[in-house]
Amino acid sequence: MDYHFDIPLNNQDIKQLRIGDVVYVSGVLFTARDESHRLMLKKDPGEIPFDTKKMGLYHCGPLMKRINDEWQVVSAGPTTSSRMDIFEEEFIKKFGIRLVIGKGSMDDSLTSVFKKNNCVFTVYTGGAGALAADKIVKVKDVYFLKELGMSEAIWIFEVKNFGPLVVAMDSYGQSIFKSWEMLFKGENCACK
Amino acid sequence: MDYNKIQEGVIKLIKKSQTELPVDVIESLEKALSVESGIAKLQIANILENIRLAKATGRPLCQDTGVQTFFIEAGVDFPKIGHLKKLIIGAVKKATEIVPLRPNAVDPFNSKNQAGNIGNFIPAITWDFISGTDVNITAIPKGGGSENMSKLVMLKPASGINGIKKFVIDEIKKAGGNPCPPTVIGLGIGGGADLAMKLGKLALLRPVGLRHEDKNIADIEEELIQRINKTGIGPMGLGGKTTVLDVHIEHAPRHPASLPVGMVVQCWADRRAKMVIHQDGRWEVL
């Protein structure tokens, strides 16, 4: 199924989504990689200068260009989500995250975290940075740029029909990555 | 000789490597599109549309513009050969602003991002010296997500070829969707630990779809391609028939006690661009 939702996704939206579904989202995303996860987790939600509950979390370290006083997105595809495995349970709970966008798999133990917090993990095509950049209609803000640098800073992006995102872990405790892990059993005998 | 003009050429080389993919890579992705369906096909279609868009708009196709990596064959009779290194480092610094490239040179001790994509030993340059007066430069910017899945193993020689195959397939399974499949795998077999890894990266210079000239090695490449694609990992790890676009092997004699295997994983954005610089300073980006 293909869905089009506004961010923040509500409970009903999230409950509709099952692994393998395709979804396009419009609204506001904030980017965060390893360093910004670590930095944000050291703070109280009240100390964070933007409202995480109204945004989606995007695992992304964009390539930006400053033209006069304005930031422009050059290329902004997803980064490897598994690097955030160690932070995400606490991060989702603490900041009220309902939508995570990234690439690659996340640790299987997180399926229960997505279920418990009524949250979804969706993936965008890795490396499709130019394509993703064209779905970002506005750079609203940037935080921690001086401390963390371009790729690790938190960028606030307004996006329109951002996708196609594939639901990889849904709010029912399912993971799309399980399907091919099952196939490995067949291949193992060929490895001997 | 006008060094600025040559530097402009190197900047053009870097830009081409970031904004266009070689035809052989595009053709193999088009082939993948024709065999995939559903979500896997959607991923490949996105990749191909992204490649088209990046080229049309002159933008880096991936935000991870990688570690700037060059393989150079320098003709020993090229005049001012001693200036080449400085010239390339300067080109990388300028290209960071002009292309632009994402600043990807981070101090490993204090995590400060050093501007300009330069630093100790970076850009990564591998030199070879050839006869003649031309200098051939290949740029292969290398992304972090795929490089993170690269691996070295020092096998026991008794493990043999089957041990090498098992290592590769096990590692590909562990990597899953993380290195942005469909990937290209460079395998360096033999040498010492460092040479095996270097040969793995060197193997990535070969165009996708081109088999090793030694039939026995070509057969191993072919077998690995088939077995890896049977894992079902698929584009982006979402399931599908295309997990690798190609496997390339380069080899060197091993020490009697060692069987090193260096596996270098390259994402679908198998970025490669070439240039030649002539003795009078003229250059062509090929």
Side-chain angles (χ1 to χ4, degrees), chain B residues 98-130:
Chain B
I98 295 167
V99 176
L101 308 177
R102 197 176 68 181
N104 276 353
V106 178
D107 184 300
F109 299 105
N110 63 21
S111 290
K112 287 269 177 258
N113 198 324
Q114 300 162 208
N117 281 299
I118 55 174
N120 208 16
F121 292 106
I122 294 291
I125 304 175
T126 303
W127 296 91
D128 194 6
F129 295 94
I130 55 173

mmCIF file of all heavy atoms in Angstrom, chain B residues 98-130:
data_model
loop_
_atom_site.group_PDB
_atom_site.id
_atom_site.type_symbol
_atom_site.label_atom_id
_atom_site.label_comp_id
_atom_site.label_asym_id
_atom_site.label_seq_id
_atom_site.Cartn_x
_atom_site.Cartn_y
_atom_site.Cartn_z
ATOM 1 N N ILE B 98 34.123 24.152 -4.276
ATOM 2 C CA ILE B 98 33.544 24.360 -5.613
ATOM 3 C C ILE B 98 32.474 23.323 -5.977
ATOM 4 O O ILE B 98 31.416 23.679 -6.486
ATOM 5 C CB ILE B 98 34.665 24.351 -6.686
ATOM 6 C CG1 ILE B 98 35.604 25.550 -6.486
ATOM 7 C CG2 ILE B 98 34.069 24.390 -8.098
ATOM 8 C CD1 ILE B 98 36.891 25.465 -7.285
ATOM 9 N N VAL B 99 32.732 22.034 -5.699
ATOM 10 C CA VAL B 99 31.808 20.985 -6.201
ATOM 11 C C VAL B 99 30.407 21.088 -5.605
ATOM 12 O O VAL B 99 29.442 21.098 -6.392
ATOM 13 C CB VAL B 99 32.445 19.585 -6.008
ATOM 14 C CG1 VAL B 99 31.476 18.490 -6.417
ATOM 15 C CG2 VAL B 99 33.735 19.462 -6.849
ATOM 16 N N PRO B 100 30.125 21.206 -4.310
ATOM 17 C CA PRO B 100 31.024 21.087 -3.169
ATOM 18 C C PRO B 100 31.095 19.636 -2.683
ATOM 19 O O PRO B 100 30.305 18.803 -3.080
ATOM 20 C CB PRO B 100 30.309 21.946 -2.121
ATOM 21 C CG PRO B 100 28.852 21.800 -2.426
ATOM 22 C CD PRO B 100 28.747 21.583 -3.904
ATOM 23 N N LEU B 101 32.078 19.402 -1.778
ATOM 24 C CA LEU B 101 32.200 18.113 -1.116
ATOM 25 C C LEU B 101 31.862 18.297 0.354
ATOM 26 O O LEU B 101 32.110 19.374 0.909
ATOM 27 C CB LEU B 101 33.630 17.569 -1.211
ATOM 28 C CG LEU B 101 34.282 17.510 -2.595
ATOM 29 C CD1 LEU B 101 35.730 17.017 -2.456
ATOM 30 C CD2 LEU B 101 33.500 16.587 -3.509
ATOM 31 N N ARG B 102 31.318 17.279 0.978
ATOM 32 C CA ARG B 102 31.062 17.375 2.425
ATOM 33 C C ARG B 102 32.398 17.258 3.160
ATOM 34 O O ARG B 102 33.223 16.422 2.787
ATOM 35 C CB ARG B 102 30.128 16.231 2.858
ATOM 36 C CG ARG B 102 29.482 16.485 4.203
ATOM 37 C CD ARG B 102 28.508 15.392 4.540
ATOM 38 N NE ARG B 102 29.195 14.121 4.796
ATOM 39 C CZ ARG B 102 28.566 12.988 5.098
ATOM 40 N NH1 ARG B 102 27.255 12.947 5.161
ATOM 41 N NH2 ARG B 102 29.246 11.880 5.326
ATOM 42 N N PRO B 103 32.627 18.089 4.171
ATOM 43 C CA PRO B 103 33.879 17.934 4.929
ATOM 44 C C PRO B 103 33.877 16.576 5.633
ATOM 45 O O PRO B 103 33.064 16.335 6.511
ATOM 46 C CB PRO B 103 33.831 19.081 5.953
ATOM 47 C CG PRO B 103 32.756 20.002 5.482
ATOM 48 C CD PRO B 103 31.789 19.161 4.704
ATOM 49 N N ASN B 104 34.777 15.683 5.212
ATOM 50 C CA ASN B 104 34.769 14.312 5.723
ATOM 51 C C ASN B 104 36.094 13.910 6.345
ATOM 52 O O ASN B 104 36.409 12.736 6.395
ATOM 53 C CB ASN B 104 34.460 13.344 4.570
ATOM 54 C CG ASN B 104 32.983 13.187 4.307
ATOM 55 O OD1 ASN B 104 32.149 13.685 5.053
ATOM 56 N ND2 ASN B 104 32.642 12.505 3.233
ATOM 57 N N ALA B 105 36.895 14.887 6.784
ATOM 58 C CA ALA B 105 38.178 14.548 7.406
ATOM 59 C C ALA B 105 38.107 14.917 8.889
ATOM 60 O O ALA B 105 38.218 16.086 9.253
ATOM 61 C CB ALA B 105 39.315 15.275 6.703
ATOM 62 N N VAL B 106 37.875 13.888 9.707
ATOM 63 C CA VAL B 106 37.657 14.100 11.142
ATOM 64 C C VAL B 106 38.885 13.628 11.921
ATOM 65 O O VAL B 106 39.377 12.521 11.696
ATOM 66 C CB VAL B 106 36.395 13.330 11.611
ATOM 67 C CG1 VAL B 106 36.170 13.494 13.108
ATOM 68 C CG2 VAL B 106 35.166 13.782 10.827
ATOM 69 N N ASP B 107 39.365 14.462 12.822
ATOM 70 C CA ASP B 107 40.494 14.081 13.676
ATOM 71 C C ASP B 107 40.056 12.895 14.556
ATOM 72 O O ASP B 107 39.060 12.997 15.268
ATOM 73 C CB ASP B 107 40.888 15.278 14.552
ATOM 74 C CG ASP B 107 42.111 14.981 15.406
ATOM 75 O OD1 ASP B 107 42.072 14.027 16.234
ATOM 76 O OD2 ASP B 107 43.110 15.706 15.272
ATOM 77 N N PRO B 108 40.786 11.771 14.485
ATOM 78 C CA PRO B 108 40.310 10.588 15.218
ATOM 79 C C PRO B 108 40.410 10.723 16.738
ATOM 80 O O PRO B 108 39.792 9.955 17.460
ATOM 81 C CB PRO B 108 41.221 9.467 14.702
ATOM 82 C CG PRO B 108 42.429 10.149 14.179
ATOM 83 C CD PRO B 108 41.996 11.499 13.702
ATOM 84 N N PHE B 109 41.182 11.691 17.209
ATOM 85 C CA PHE B 109 41.354 11.816 18.664
ATOM 86 C C PHE B 109 40.346 12.777 19.292
ATOM 87 O O PHE B 109 39.761 12.488 20.319
ATOM 88 C CB PHE B 109 42.784 12.241 18.990
ATOM 89 C CG PHE B 109 43.784 11.230 18.511
ATOM 90 C CD1 PHE B 109 44.550 11.474 17.390
ATOM 91 C CD2 PHE B 109 43.925 10.013 19.171
ATOM 92 C CE1 PHE B 109 45.456 10.529 16.929
ATOM 93 C CE2 PHE B 109 44.821 9.062 18.727
ATOM 94 C CZ PHE B 109 45.596 9.319 17.599
ATOM 95 N N ASN B 110 40.138 13.938 18.650
ATOM 96 C CA ASN B 110 39.219 14.901 19.267
ATOM 97 C C ASN B 110 37.923 15.080 18.471
ATOM 98 O O ASN B 110 37.092 15.907 18.824
ATOM 99 C CB ASN B 110 39.916 16.255 19.485
ATOM 100 C CG ASN B 110 40.336 16.891 18.156
ATOM 101 O OD1 ASN B 110 39.809 16.562 17.104
ATOM 102 N ND2 ASN B 110 41.289 17.820 18.214
ATOM 103 N N SER B 111 37.767 14.294 17.405
ATOM 104 C CA SER B 111 36.544 14.312 16.570
ATOM 105 C C SER B 111 36.256 15.661 15.917
ATOM 106 O O SER B 111 35.140 15.903 15.464
ATOM 107 C CB SER B 111 35.320 13.852 17.364
ATOM 108 O OG SER B 111 35.426 12.480 17.635
ATOM 109 N N LYS B 112 37.257 16.534 15.859
ATOM 110 C CA LYS B 112 37.058 17.813 15.156
ATOM 111 C C LYS B 112 37.117 17.560 13.651
ATOM 112 O O LYS B 112 37.999 16.858 13.157
ATOM 113 C CB LYS B 112 38.147 18.820 15.537
ATOM 114 C CG LYS B 112 37.974 19.369 16.941
ATOM 115 C CD LYS B 112 37.134 20.638 16.946
ATOM 116 C CE LYS B 112 36.889 21.170 18.349
ATOM 117 N NZ LYS B 112 35.548 20.874 18.893
ATOM 118 N N ASN B 113 36.143 18.132 12.943
ATOM 119 C CA ASN B 113 36.106 17.984 11.491
ATOM 120 C C ASN B 113 37.030 19.021 10.861
ATOM 121 O O ASN B 113 36.793 20.221 10.927
ATOM 122 C CB ASN B 113 34.665 18.161 10.990
ATOM 123 C CG ASN B 113 34.483 17.587 9.595
ATOM 124 O OD1 ASN B 113 35.380 17.661 8.760
ATOM 125 N ND2 ASN B 113 33.318 17.022 9.347
ATOM 126 N N GLN B 114 38.120 18.523 10.265
ATOM 127 C CA GLN B 114 39.102 19.419 9.648
ATOM 128 C C GLN B 114 38.564 19.854 8.291
ATOM 129 O O GLN B 114 38.223 19.015 7.476
ATOM 130 C CB GLN B 114 40.439 18.691 9.498
ATOM 131 C CG GLN B 114 41.012 18.213 10.822
ATOM 132 C CD GLN B 114 42.088 17.145 10.697
ATOM 133 O OE1 GLN B 114 42.264 16.349 11.580
ATOM 134 N NE2 GLN B 114 42.815 17.139 9.584
ATOM 135 N N ALA B 115 38.498 21.121 8.087
ATOM 136 C CA ALA B 115 37.914 21.636 6.839
ATOM 137 C C ALA B 115 38.743 21.203 5.631
ATOM 138 O O ALA B 115 39.942 20.949 5.741
ATOM 139 C CB ALA B 115 37.836 23.153 6.910
ATOM 140 N N GLY B 116 38.100 21.083 4.492
ATOM 141 C CA GLY B 116 38.827 20.929 3.245
ATOM 142 C C GLY B 116 39.145 19.517 2.811
ATOM 143 O O GLY B 116 39.786 19.312 1.791
ATOM 144 N N ASN B 117 38.716 18.518 3.594
ATOM 145 C CA ASN B 117 38.967 17.124 3.219
ATOM 146 C C ASN B 117 40.446 16.779 3.087
ATOM 147 O O ASN B 117 40.816 15.903 2.304
ATOM 148 C CB ASN B 117 38.233 16.778 1.906
ATOM 149 C CG ASN B 117 36.757 16.509 2.139
ATOM 150 O OD1 ASN B 117 36.397 15.589 2.872
ATOM 151 N ND2 ASN B 117 35.906 17.334 1.553
ATOM 152 N N ILE B 118 41.273 17.503 3.838
ATOM 153 C CA ILE B 118 42.700 17.182 3.818
ATOM 154 C C ILE B 118 43.222 17.034 5.244
ATOM 155 O O ILE B 118 42.624 17.533 6.188
ATOM 156 C CB ILE B 118 43.531 18.239 3.044
ATOM 157 C CG1 ILE B 118 43.291 19.636 3.622
ATOM 158 C CG2 ILE B 118 43.204 18.220 1.566
ATOM 159 C CD1 ILE B 118 44.180 20.688 2.993
ATOM 160 N N GLY B 119 44.320 16.331 5.377
ATOM 161 C CA GLY B 119 44.950 16.097 6.674
ATOM 162 C C GLY B 119 46.073 15.097 6.489
ATOM 163 O O GLY B 119 46.436 14.768 5.353
ATOM 164 N N ASN B 120 46.571 14.592 7.601
ATOM 165 C CA ASN B 120 47.655 13.629 7.564
ATOM 166 C C ASN B 120 47.284 12.429 6.675
ATOM 167 O O ASN B 120 46.318 11.739 6.974
ATOM 168 C CB ASN B 120 47.884 13.155 9.018
ATOM 169 C CG ASN B 120 49.307 12.725 9.241
ATOM 170 O OD1 ASN B 120 50.185 13.032 8.452
ATOM 171 N ND2 ASN B 120 49.523 12.003 10.329
ATOM 172 N N PHE B 121 48.016 12.191 5.592
ATOM 173 C CA PHE B 121 47.786 11.059 4.666
ATOM 174 C C PHE B 121 46.465 11.145 3.877
ATOM 175 O O PHE B 121 46.106 10.210 3.172
ATOM 176 C CB PHE B 121 47.819 9.704 5.390
ATOM 177 C CG PHE B 121 49.182 9.334 5.907
ATOM 178 C CD1 PHE B 121 49.486 9.399 7.259
ATOM 179 C CD2 PHE B 121 50.172 8.923 5.020
ATOM 180 C CE1 PHE B 121 50.736 9.068 7.726
ATOM 181 C CE2 PHE B 121 51.436 8.576 5.486
ATOM 182 C CZ PHE B 121 51.721 8.654 6.850
ATOM 183 N N ILE B 122 45.706 12.233 4.047
ATOM 184 C CA ILE B 122 44.420 12.398 3.344
ATOM 185 C C ILE B 122 44.494 13.652 2.490
ATOM 186 O O ILE B 122 44.876 14.701 3.018
ATOM 187 C CB ILE B 122 43.258 12.494 4.376
ATOM 188 C CG1 ILE B 122 43.097 11.171 5.124
ATOM 189 C CG2 ILE B 122 41.940 12.900 3.709
ATOM 190 C CD1 ILE B 122 42.583 10.008 4.279
ATOM 191 N N PRO B 123 44.152 13.615 1.197
ATOM 192 C CA PRO B 123 43.559 12.508 0.454
ATOM 193 C C PRO B 123 44.463 11.270 0.395
ATOM 194 O O PRO B 123 45.696 11.387 0.498
ATOM 195 C CB PRO B 123 43.359 13.091 -0.956
ATOM 196 C CG PRO B 123 44.360 14.192 -1.062
ATOM 197 C CD PRO B 123 44.429 14.776 0.325
ATOM 198 N N ALA B 124 43.833 10.114 0.233
ATOM 199 C CA ALA B 124 44.568 8.851 0.174
ATOM 200 C C ALA B 124 45.067 8.646 -1.254
ATOM 201 O O ALA B 124 44.274 8.522 -2.178
ATOM 202 C CB ALA B 124 43.654 7.702 0.589
ATOM 203 N N ILE B 125 46.387 8.662 -1.415
ATOM 204 C CA ILE B 125 46.954 8.526 -2.770
ATOM 205 C C ILE B 125 47.832 7.280 -2.839
ATOM 206 O O ILE B 125 48.686 7.074 -1.979
ATOM 207 C CB ILE B 125 47.801 9.770 -3.147
ATOM 208 C CG1 ILE B 125 46.966 11.052 -3.018
ATOM 209 C CG2 ILE B 125 48.345 9.632 -4.566
ATOM 210 C CD1 ILE B 125 47.751 12.337 -3.256
ATOM 211 N N THR B 126 47.587 6.445 -3.841
ATOM 212 C CA THR B 126 48.448 5.280 -4.087
ATOM 213 C C THR B 126 49.226 5.553 -5.370
ATOM 214 O O THR B 126 48.635 5.816 -6.412
ATOM 215 C CB THR B 126 47.595 4.003 -4.258
ATOM 216 O OG1 THR B 126 46.790 3.845 -3.097
ATOM 217 C CG2 THR B 126 48.475 2.777 -4.432
ATOM 218 N N TRP B 127 50.540 5.505 -5.245
ATOM 219 C CA TRP B 127 51.409 5.838 -6.383
ATOM 220 C C TRP B 127 51.950 4.593 -7.054
ATOM 221 O O TRP B 127 52.307 3.636 -6.390
ATOM 222 C CB TRP B 127 52.608 6.672 -5.901
ATOM 223 C CG TRP B 127 52.250 8.001 -5.345
ATOM 224 C CD1 TRP B 127 51.982 8.291 -4.043
ATOM 225 C CD2 TRP B 127 52.107 9.227 -6.071
ATOM 226 N NE1 TRP B 127 51.682 9.625 -3.911
ATOM 227 C CE2 TRP B 127 51.757 10.227 -5.137
ATOM 228 C CE3 TRP B 127 52.247 9.585 -7.416
ATOM 229 C CZ2 TRP B 127 51.540 11.552 -5.501
ATOM 230 C CZ3 TRP B 127 52.041 10.911 -7.780
ATOM 231 C CH2 TRP B 127 51.689 11.877 -6.820
ATOM 232 N N ASP B 128 51.995 4.668 -8.364
ATOM 233 C CA ASP B 128 52.730 3.656 -9.116
ATOM 234 C C ASP B 128 53.515 4.434 -10.170
ATOM 235 O O ASP B 128 53.089 5.526 -10.569
ATOM 236 C CB ASP B 128 51.753 2.668 -9.774
ATOM 237 C CG ASP B 128 52.471 1.410 -10.273
ATOM 238 O OD1 ASP B 128 53.684 1.267 -10.005
ATOM 239 O OD2 ASP B 128 51.813 0.589 -10.933
ATOM 240 N N PHE B 129 54.661 3.907 -10.557
ATOM 241 C CA PHE B 129 55.460 4.616 -11.548
ATOM 242 C C PHE B 129 55.565 3.794 -12.825
ATOM 243 O O PHE B 129 55.791 2.593 -12.775
ATOM 244 C CB PHE B 129 56.833 4.965 -10.962
ATOM 245 C CG PHE B 129 56.687 5.932 -9.814
ATOM 246 C CD1 PHE B 129 56.610 5.470 -8.511
ATOM 247 C CD2 PHE B 129 56.541 7.284 -10.052
ATOM 248 C CE1 PHE B 129 56.403 6.353 -7.456
ATOM 249 C CE2 PHE B 129 56.335 8.168 -9.005
ATOM 250 C CZ PHE B 129 56.264 7.704 -7.702
ATOM 251 N N ILE B 130 55.325 4.482 -13.937
ATOM 252 C CA ILE B 130 55.352 3.796 -15.226
ATOM 253 C C ILE B 130 56.335 4.518 -16.144
ATOM 254 O O ILE B 130 56.750 5.647 -15.845
ATOM 255 C CB ILE B 130 53.938 3.767 -15.882
ATOM 256 C CG1 ILE B 130 53.355 5.191 -15.997
ATOM 257 C CG2 ILE B 130 52.989 2.884 -15.088
ATOM 258 C CD1 ILE B 130 52.056 5.274 -16.776
#
